[in-house]
Amino acid sequence: MQTLSEHSPGNRYIKRLQDGRSVWLGGKTIDVTAHPAFQGTISTVASLLDMQANPSTLHPLTFPSPLSGQPVNAAFLVPSTIDALLQRSQAFRLWSDATYGMMSRLSEFSRSLLTGWYISRHRLGDGAGQFAEKIARYYEQSRDQDLLSTTALHDPQIDRSKGPGEAQDPDAHLRIIKETADGIWVRGAKMIATAAPYVDEIIVYPFHRRTAGENSYATMFAVPVNAPGLHTVCRASFASDSREDDPLSSRYDEMDAVLIFDDVFVPWERVFIKDDPEAIWRLRQDPAAVALSQHQTVVRLISKLGFIAAVGHELASSIGVTQHLHVQEKLGELLVQLETIKALASVAEQQAKRDDATGVWLPAIDPLTTARNLGSRYYPQAIQILQQIGAGGLMQTPATLDELDGPLGELLQKYYRGATLPAKERVRLFKLAWDLIASPLGSRHELYEIFYAGDPVRAFAGQYASYDKQRLTDPVYQLIRSEKKVTSP
């Protein structure tokens, strides 16, 4: 893995990963810095961190820490001005464009959540656990040490018909099993912790609302990935070792994992909320955390939809079908998707308002929620369009690019060429499209874009439930309650 220098941010990050963490892949514990399944991904993350030390990208990727004066990641920037909010957006876009939107858990999401909780710290918490002081110290530590993090929120799918209070096995849901003067011990599991094997910190709390009788399952805390008793169990790797033949899978396999807490100790300093469903739900709904984190996800979606639109155009051009009306209609749909999400992000930023209680500027939430919800439907449609454009040609590529220079090279160069591209470039393009559409990584991305924000049915219903519907209905009732008489002509 090559980075700027031995002491670059990327190399410091890689060294941090050699901390004895218990990461399991294929039934064995592994060193993620040495295992081939993680080489491409960790190298990508390291290169992104190195951008923070590059003079050409130092701004907007960083800002001076209020404590040390050293540059720190812009996801931690408190948007006390509209310019600061726009800098956050520019920083998100730099990393998203650098990875074509294919890496969704580069820590900007969890860092944005943490920044939101820090902003709202005095109105959050359970009233007894010094939430404000604890979250402030954790935020400052994460910011100044440039710690990467992810969240672990969902319960394992053992029996979804039963909540924590109804499960026969009390360990089916993460819970506290012991308390001492020093902290708590927790037991259970959480999923789906994307990027957990190669980040520094895990932030844990329940995604779904707990009832009043489920207090013992309503706790929020943070642990380092190498905490004793914490096991990170990875899904099968979708990584490839060939950048030539698998340009996405070789670089951007964001590993998903189940976290097993086998009696893990958490000091009180890192226990932010304990046994309080209402405090957890206030935290989940906090306007600052929601707006800042959704802002990041929408900026990333723009990069990804732009990438797909570009691939679609090049596929069609390479085989000479852009003159067909039905192909133009499909390519036009990709552009409509892209421009819709871009417009919603722009509106969210233009309609940003200063929160009187905290003094920070937050993007408008309705356009962001709309964009996220549309994304869960747009992405599968976009993938289907690429399938329709590439059609059988997606399966008509040689196994490796090297074959184009092999014994049959002269014939392959003749029959694998395109209308606008020589054979090697056309094969590269179609292999890229296959990696995006039909590889294990591509299938994972489609599933992720549908469900990463939760059940899309609940997400759409939630937007309806929380929307200010009176703004829509007032004009209706002004019309039907009008006392003006309408005379016949």
Side-chain angles (χ1 to χ4, degrees):
M1 299 178 190
Q2 298 297 319
T3 49
L4 292 178
S5 72
E6 182 182 354
H7 302 291
S8 72
N11 269 321
R12 291 198 299 269
Y13 154 70
I14 293 171
K15 290 178 181 177
R16 290 205 307 268
L17 299 179
Q18 298 168 335
D19 57 4
R21 59 187 59 201
S22 175
V23 177
W24 292 78
L25 177 63
K28 299 177 181 179
T29 56
I30 63 168
D31 174 0
V32 294
T33 66
H35 197 282
F38 292 93
Q39 293 293 294
T41 304
I42 291 176
S43 179
T44 296
V45 175
S47 69
L48 294 174
L49 293 172
D50 281 341
M51 291 173 68
Q52 298 177 169
N54 189 322
S56 67
T57 49
L58 182 65
H59 182 86
L61 279 179
T62 68
F63 70 101
S65 165
L67 294 182
S68 67
Q70 296 299 309
V72 292
N73 188 272
F76 292 111
L77 179 60
V78 174
S80 54
T81 66
I82 190 65
D83 287 341
L85 180 65
L86 295 178
Q87 181 183 343
R88 291 175 55 88
S89 180
Q90 293 166 354
F92 297 151
R93 187 63 184 266
L94 266 178
W95 272 14
S96 294
D97 283 352
T99 54
Y100 307 93
M102 297 296 293
M103 295 192 75
S104 54
R105 285 293 185 262
L106 292 169
S107 290
E108 309 116 292
F109 177 77
S110 54
R111 287 169 163 182
S112 294
L113 284 173
L114 181 54
T115 302
W117 298 326
Y118 170 76
I119 290 168
S120 304
R121 62 192 181 280
H122 295 298
R123 61 188 182 197
L124 294 177
D126 54 15
Q130 299 89 41
F131 177 88
E133 294 82 0
K134 290 180 180 180
I135 207 72
R137 286 191 289 269
Y138 186 67
Y139 160 82
E140 290 169 353
Q141 176 195 16
S142 298
R143 179 195 66 199
D144 288 10
Q145 296 182 17
D146 202 22
L147 299 181
L148 299 180
S149 59
T150 191
T151 57
L153 313 179
H154 293 277
D155 303 312
Q157 294 183 355
I158 298 174
D159 184 349
R160 298 184 69 185
S161 70
K162 294 181 173 61
E166 305 169 295
Q168 293 182 344
D169 181 1
D171 294 335
H173 299 78
L174 186 67
R175 66 189 178 101
I176 299 172
I177 59 166
K178 185 172 70 171
E179 297 181 30
T180 69
D182 297 321
I184 62 174
W185 274 258
V186 294
R187 180 186 299 166
K190 281 290 184 182
M191 58 172 269
I192 302 171
T194 301
Y198 47 87
V199 298
D200 301 293
E201 294 280 321
I202 309 291
I203 302 172
V204 184
Y205 56 95
F207 182 82
H208 295 293
R209 191 167 193 168
R210 301 303 196 199
T211 67
E214 297 171 343
N215 287 14
S216 58
Y217 301 99
T219 296
M220 175 195 180
F221 60 88
V223 292
V225 178
N226 70 338
L230 176 58
H231 303 292
T232 303
V233 182
C234 301
R235 60 157 167 78
S237 172
F238 302 151
S240 167
D241 61 0
S242 174
R243 293 200 168 197
E244 286 273 299
D245 297 303
D246 306 298
L248 302 179
S249 298
S250 59
R251 294 170 171 87
Y252 308 129
D253 182 19
E254 283 193 308
M255 180 58 75
D256 307 296
V258 172
L259 302 182
I260 298 177
F261 295 81
D262 187 21
D263 297 2
V264 174
F265 172 70
V266 185
W268 285 118
E269 178 68 13
R270 285 167 160 260
V271 180
F272 305 118
I273 296 174
K274 175 181 170 294
D275 297 348
D276 193 329
E278 289 307 309
I280 292 288
W281 196 244
R282 284 196 302 273
L283 177 130
R284 281 270 290 109
Q285 302 297 308
D286 175 63
V290 170
L292 295 183
S293 61
Q294 286 199 11
H295 191 199
Q296 182 272 324
T297 64
V298 172
V299 172
R300 180 195 61 83
L301 181 60
I302 292 170
S303 297
K304 198 169 190 179
L305 291 179
F307 177 53
I308 291 177
V311 172
H313 169 72
E314 290 302 313
L315 283 179
S317 298
S318 72
I319 56 177
V321 296
T322 55
Q323 75 276 16
H324 298 304
L325 186 61
H326 70 284
V327 174
Q328 293 176 353
E329 183 266 344
K330 295 181 189 305
L331 295 174
E333 184 174 344
L334 295 180
L335 295 178
V336 167
Q337 290 184 352
L338 172 62
E339 292 302 322
T340 298
I341 301 302
K342 285 171 62 177
L344 287 166
S346 179
V347 168
E349 293 169 1
Q350 292 174 10
Q351 293 183 353
K353 292 183 179 179
R354 185 178 181 273
D355 180 69
D356 292 335
T358 61
V360 303
W361 286 81
L362 299 177
I365 195 62
D366 283 341
L368 295 177
T369 302
T370 301
R372 275 176 46 130
N373 283 343
L374 285 175
S376 69
R377 296 186 176 178
Y378 276 0
Y379 192 79
Q381 293 168 3
I383 292 301
Q384 186 178 50
I385 287 172
L386 293 188
Q387 291 171 339
Q388 293 167 341
I389 293 173
L394 293 165
M395 296 178 288
Q396 295 174 18
T397 59
T400 66
L401 275 163
D402 289 342
E403 294 176 56
L404 293 168
D405 297 317
L408 286 180
E410 184 175 347
L411 291 173
L412 297 184
Q413 295 280 352
K414 179 179 179 179
Y415 293 111
Y416 280 94
R417 71 188 190 277
T420 60
L421 293 175
K424 185 165 288 190
E425 291 307 305
R426 180 184 177 278
V427 170
R428 286 182 190 275
L429 177 63
F430 272 74
K431 280 184 172 291
L432 168 62
W434 179 267
D435 209 3
L436 182 60
I437 295 168
S439 70
L441 180 74
S443 298
R444 181 262 181 199
H445 270 269
E446 184 173 5
L447 194 65
Y448 179 88
E449 294 296 347
I450 296 172
F451 291 107
Y452 81 90
D455 179 359
V457 173
R458 290 177 181 266
F460 274 81
Q463 183 167 6
Y464 166 77
S466 62
Y467 196 82
D468 180 8
K469 293 176 281 293
Q470 189 170 344
R471 288 186 299 167
L472 302 178
T473 59
D474 279 351
V476 174
Y477 284 98
Q478 288 173 9
L479 172 66
I480 64 177
R481 288 174 179 166
S482 173
E483 296 180 1
K484 293 181 181 180
K485 294 182 180 180
V486 178
T487 58
S488 300

